[in-house]
Amino acid sequence: LIDTLCACQSEGSTIAPTPTASQGEGCSICGEGKEVNDPDAIFAFPSQPERTCGALEDEGEQGLLPEDQCSILPTLIEDLCNCQPIQEPGDSCNICGEGNEVGNPDAIFAFPSQPEKTCGELEDEGEQGLVSQEQCDILPALVDDLCECKPKGSTDAPTSTPPPGEGCSVCGEGSKVNNPDAVFAFPSQPPKTCGELEDEGEQGLLPEDECNILPTLIEDLCDCQPIQEPGESCAVCGEGQIVGDPGEIFSFPGQPTRSCGELEDEGEQGLLD
C-alpha cells in the first residue's frame, strides 16, 4: 500500500524507484472464489486516492495491483464491498413456475436483506441459472401477483384467484399458531395476522405452493408449536376439588396468562401435562 507513496527502495540505493510495475497477473480483491457485490461502495485508505469497490475489482482483474496489495485487500474490504462467493451457474429455472412467464417485468421485487430487483431481472437470472434451486422452489408463490405471472404466450390478464382447495396448516403438519396477533408482512402483499393466515389455510384459501413455504417464513414470528394431543384429564385444584374464583388470573413466567377457569377447563380436557 505504501510502496509507491513512500518511494521505497533498497537500503543504500541512490537510484530512484522504478515506475509502477507493468501489468501482472490478475487477482481477486475479495479473495479466491469471491466477488464484489457492492461495486459503488467507496474504499478510502490513508494517503491513497478513493476508489469504488468496482473500480478496485477491475484493477485487480487487469493485473494493475501489486501482489502484496492483493494479498491483504480481502481482509480490508470484505464487509465494505460485500464480498460474496461467486455463484456458479446451475440449472435454469422459471421464477413464475413451469409454463409461465413474467407479465410485468418492471415491477420491483423486494425481499428483506436482499437488493431490490425488477421482475424482468429476476426472470433473466433464473433463466441463466443464477438463482438457487431452493429459491426457485419458493419464488413462484412470492412473485405470482407482483410480477403478474401468466401462461407463456398468453395476452390475457392473469387468471383470477382459484376456488378454495384443501385446507393446510401454515405452521406445517402437526403444528399450530401460538401468537395469533403477530402481523406477517410480506413485500407487495397486504399484512395479515398469524391468526388470519391460519384461518385462510384451514379454509383452503391459500395456494398449495404458498402453504409449502409459509412454515419456514412464519415459524418464529407466529410462534408455531406442536399441536398438543389431549391426554388424561386432571383437576388443577387437586382430586375432589374445584376452582372457586374462575375469574382470577394465573400468570407463570414464559407462559400466557390464563384465568383460573380457563386453566380448569384445559385440565378437564386433558390439555395439561
Side-chain angles (χ1 to χ4, degrees):
L1 295 176
I2 68 169
D3 185 49
T4 304
L5 173 74
C6 300
C8 297
Q9 56 184 309
S10 301
E11 232 179 283
S13 171
T14 57
I15 303 173
T18 56
T20 305
S22 60
Q23 193 164 320
E25 290 187 9
C27 73
S28 168
I29 62 169
C30 279
E32 196 64 34
K34 292 186 176 182
E35 65 183 352
V36 165
N37 269 259
D38 188 355
D40 298 322
I42 303 294
F43 176 68
F45 197 81
S47 73
Q48 295 285 334
E50 292 184 349
R51 297 179 176 94
T52 65
C53 293
L56 206 58
E57 185 171 49
D58 289 342
E59 291 180 15
E61 291 173 350
Q62 293 166 28
L64 301 178
L65 297 178
E67 186 179 347
D68 52 356
Q69 285 188 16
C70 270
S71 300
I72 65 168
L73 273 172
T75 57
L76 299 177
I77 67 167
E78 184 173 13
D79 293 333
L80 173 70
C81 298
N82 189 20
C83 294
Q84 299 290 340
I86 296 172
Q87 186 175 355
E88 297 295 333
D91 293 335
S92 64
C93 82
N94 188 327
I95 64 165
C96 278
E98 196 62 37
N100 294 322
E101 64 182 355
V102 166
N104 185 2
D106 298 322
I108 302 295
F109 176 72
F111 194 82
S113 76
Q114 298 289 329
E116 292 184 350
K117 291 174 180 165
T118 66
C119 293
E121 290 171 331
L122 207 56
E123 186 172 46
D124 289 341
E125 290 183 9
E127 291 173 352
Q128 294 167 28
L130 300 178
V131 176
S132 69
Q133 187 59 50
E134 183 182 13
Q135 289 177 335
C136 263
D137 290 340
I138 67 172
L139 273 172
L142 302 181
V143 306
D144 186 48
D145 292 334
L146 174 71
C147 298
E148 297 180 16
C149 294
K150 61 181 183 179
K152 280 187 178 178
S154 169
T155 56
D156 300 330
T159 56
S160 56
T161 305
E166 290 186 11
C168 74
S169 168
V170 295
C171 277
E173 195 65 36
S175 294
K176 66 176 183 178
V177 166
N178 268 263
N179 187 2
D181 298 323
V183 176
F184 176 69
F186 197 81
S188 77
Q189 299 288 332
K192 292 174 181 167
T193 66
C194 293
E196 291 172 332
L197 210 55
E198 186 170 50
D199 289 341
E200 291 183 9
E202 292 174 350
Q203 294 166 28
L205 300 178
L206 298 178
E208 184 180 352
D209 50 1
E210 278 188 31
C211 271
N212 292 337
I213 66 166
L214 273 171
T216 57
L217 298 177
I218 69 169
E219 183 177 14
D220 293 332
L221 173 71
C222 298
D223 189 20
C224 294
Q225 299 290 340
I227 297 171
Q228 186 175 356
E229 297 295 332
E232 293 185 8
S233 63
C234 73
V236 295
C237 284
E239 196 63 38
Q241 300 191 68
I242 60 173
V243 167
D245 187 354
E248 187 65 30
I249 300 298
F250 175 74
S251 178
F252 193 82
Q255 298 288 329
T257 56
R258 300 178 176 94
S259 69
C260 291
E262 290 172 330
L263 206 57
E264 186 172 48
D265 289 342
E266 291 181 11
E268 291 175 351
Q269 294 167 29
L271 299 179
L272 299 178
D273 293 337

